[in-house]
Amino acid sequence: MHDPLFQPITINSLEIANRIYMPAMHLNMADQGQVTEQIQGFYAHRAQGGAGIICAGYATIDEQSGSSLNIGAHNDDFIPGLSALARTIEENGAKSCLQLNHAGRYNFSFFMDGKQAVAPSALASKLTGERPRALEIHEIQGIVRNFGRAAARVREAGFDAVEILAGTGYLISEFISPVTNLREDEYGGSFANRMRFPLEVLGAVRKQAGADFPLVVRMNGNDLMQGGMSSSDLLEVAQRLASDGLVDALHVNVGWHEGRVPQITASVPRATFAYLARRIKERTEVPVIASHRINDPDGARELVGSGMCDMTAMGRALITDPDLPNKAREGREQDIVHCIGCAQGCFDNIFRLKPVECLCNPRAGHELETDISPSAELRTILVVGGGPGGMSAALAARARGHRVVIWEKSNRLGGQLWLAAAPPGREEFAVLARDLSHQVHAAGVEVILGKEAFAADIAKFGPDEVIVATGAEPVIPDLPGADLSHVVQAWDVLGKKEWPGRRVVVLGGGAVGVESALALARRGTLGGAELKFLLEHRVEDCDYLRKECLHGTHDIVLVEMLERIGQDIGKSTRWTMLQELHQLQVKVKTKTRAVGIEEQAVRVEKDGEQIRIPADSVILALGSRPYNPLQSELEAAGLSCRMVGDAQNVGQAIHAIHTGFAVGRAI
């Protein structure tokens, strides 16, 4: 079969075996700019997995362009480490590229020993909350030279290509955009003047790296910034870059970090922004790479095969499953574990200044210390509970060679992943439940569904080890009226076991409360297929249809005692969910305490004053606690047992999967 995803492609003089491009992503794994063994281990696995080309980075071009956690390329001392990284990627089967970037006003002063960030103009960044210093002309020219010198080091180190980041709100895009470039000299004002800096940078890179060295530019297809560069404006940028012959390929990105349109989270439909790559491909003659939320070979194959792009960038998809390309090439796509866009281990860790990890892949970022070797003594392991923690533990224990059996009391594996998948835009959590379930069966783990575990039955079964992964149970509050018939648990609403009335009060503004409010607020709204049909046939005008996308059948009030809602939601996702609550007209009451529930209302107190909120239904989302009825009985019976996930401590899914892996691997 002719598979468009696995056809070779040539960029300048470089032939690449397939159309899968692993883009540069922040990893937070460098040590004072030096390439570490952790970085090499991370990229070695992705190269072995079959990606055509891997772009590492970004790498810095001077001391103000990034942090010590970024890979350094701004002096010759970094060349040995860069060479080791290029060699690691090449020896493991992929072509190598290094991205160069200057953060501009997106750099934080604490990364630069208190120095002020630099930018085209002295305009504060919403990302950092700091005001940069406007660059002098001689400093601009110095940065141009630094880009060229860094590119020369990239080539000297043995990389096959270099990528320049000219989007995402970093320095080059700050010069291009009228939002951040208010200069009145030759580097500001007109489009031609605002393009001067990027063109000079690319000219310096081309001169220093050589005409035969592949040069990729990662640029935006749309800035998603009010008053910024639109898709039409940036199409003109792409045409200018391609027509000048400075670049060999365009890698199409979307959005700035300050943009208020979600770009990478689960609520973004897969490959939504690929149309931007298509527009640029149709108007330029260089290879075009599409990116953002491309996490499945079928989707990537469709993009390349239909001519929307020449390559697909798969970044977090390869963090999750490094072997995705090989599995697709070998016809084993059912074995792929997909990125679900949760951002819990990748982007959220960046904000915590921690190395990148992955909810779905507990080995990501820990490749060197998480090899699984066969156990010298094979045992029978019973895992009680088939949620994410239990499945992760079972897979790790099975990989060591043990006989592993899962007892799950429900009729399917996945546990609370199914609840997490209930709100529209969170369906990818169900994909993870199915992926892990497939992995469990493919690994030869014995699964018994509909089997509730009791200590006597476990003792009769006689396992050598018991892993308790029984999860959590919702907290029932000591609140007058909590036992009334119209009061239900959030888990039952998310699981569609309960159907609330029109007026709903959700008590609890943590993750489960927010997810419940969003799930209810979306009921009765237009979905993607309906909207497409109505638009194509011009049944209604666009403003009316947008209203119907956001106007559901429930009136919802979300009540939270604390000052902020969603405090247990990761930073990368929280702002998008809060924005959705606002768009869907969910009323939010913070610093408000429920004091009683009545037949048609909830009584709450704020600032010493009590008010009644009308309610046909009340949803309890007041947290959960470990559900672990077995541990004491098993220990009393002399059975060895270990806890994982919420059965030990309630946390996010990443906690359950990682603790499960660690426990299973340790047996």
Side-chain angles (χ1 to χ4, degrees), residues 27-36 38-39 58 67-72 355:
L27 297 181
N28 277 0
M29 294 181 187
D31 181 5
Q32 299 300 313
Q34 292 289 350
V35 171
T36 59
Q38 185 181 24
I39 292 174
Y58 76 77
S67 78
S68 61
L69 295 172
N70 295 120
I71 294 171

Side-chain angles (χ1 to χ4, degrees), residues 33 161 228 402 430:
H402 300 300

Side-chain angles (χ1 to χ4, degrees), residues 349-587:
N349 269 19
I350 296 302
F351 290 118
R352 301 183 190 110
L353 301 183
K354 292 178 57 179
V356 159
E357 297 175 304
C358 179
L359 181 153
C360 310
N361 176 8
R363 294 203 64 198
H366 303 281
E367 284 77 11
L368 298 182
E369 70 265 23
T370 54
D371 280 336
I372 299 180
S373 57
S375 175
E377 180 185 351
L378 299 185
R379 302 176 181 181
T380 296
I381 313 298
L382 175 64
V383 180
V384 180
M391 286 192 285
S392 181
L395 286 167
R398 180 64 184 148
R400 296 214 66 195
H402 300 300
R403 177 197 176 200
V404 183
V405 182
I406 293 177
W407 287 1
E408 165 56 44
K409 69 178 181 180
S410 75
N411 62 357
R412 63 181 177 181
L413 298 174
Q416 290 189 53
L417 290 175
W418 295 106
L419 298 180
R426 306 275 284 176
E427 295 89 350
E428 294 276 17
F429 279 90
V431 173
L432 177 59
R434 288 190 286 268
D435 286 348
L436 290 178
S437 178
H438 174 81
Q439 296 282 324
V440 162
H441 286 98
V445 174
E446 301 170 45
V447 177
I448 302 177
L449 300 176
K451 175 71 173 178
E452 187 167 3
F454 297 98
D457 293 334
I458 294 172
K460 185 177 180 181
F461 178 69
D464 298 303
E465 295 272 357
V466 181
I467 297 175
V468 178
T470 44
E473 62 182 358
V475 170
I476 300 174
D478 182 14
L479 184 68
D483 57 347
L484 291 172
S485 61
H486 68 302
V487 180
V488 297
Q489 284 289 347
W491 289 11
D492 291 331
V493 173
L494 292 171
K496 294 188 177 180
K497 297 177 181 177
E498 297 283 352
W499 296 85
R502 183 178 66 82
R503 299 175 302 172
V504 178
V505 175
V506 180
L507 299 183
V512 174
V514 171
E515 289 168 355
S516 300
L518 288 174
L520 288 177
R522 287 287 183 188
R523 288 186 183 172
T525 62
L526 284 177
E530 301 97 319
L531 180 61
K532 185 175 188 293
F533 174 86
L534 296 172
L535 280 171
E536 285 179 352
H537 293 277
R538 299 182 178 179
V539 175
E540 304 284 355
D541 65 56
C542 289
D543 287 341
Y544 179 80
L545 290 176
R546 182 178 186 277
K547 178 183 175 183
E548 290 301 302
C549 287
L550 298 171
H551 180 65
T553 53
H554 294 282
D555 295 328
I556 304 163
V557 180
L558 181 62
V559 176
E560 170 56 50
M561 290 178 59
L562 301 177
E563 190 172 354
R564 302 195 321 154
I565 63 171
Q567 296 203 98
D568 55 343
I569 302 173
K571 186 171 183 177
S572 305
T573 304
R574 181 178 180 271
W575 74 268
T576 68
M577 298 177 80
L578 299 190
Q579 183 170 275
E580 277 188 76
L581 289 174
H582 176 72
Q583 291 174 331
L584 292 162
Q585 300 179 51
V586 173
K587 301 175 186 70

Side-chain angles (χ1 to χ4, degrees), residues 65 72 82 171 187 218 220 252 257 450 471 524 526 605 607 626 630 645:
S65 60
L82 295 175
L171 184 64
Y187 288 97
R218 186 168 191 179
N220 276 8
V252 183
H257 292 313
L526 284 177
E605 182 179 87
D607 300 328
L630 291 172

Side-chain angles (χ1 to χ4, degrees), residues 323-346:
D323 296 317
L324 181 153
N326 283 341
K327 290 176 180 178
R329 181 173 52 82
E330 296 164 4
R332 297 187 293 117
E333 294 186 22
Q334 73 277 5
D335 295 332
I336 291 170
V337 178
H338 296 84
C339 167
I340 62 172
C342 69
Q344 289 183 24
C346 48

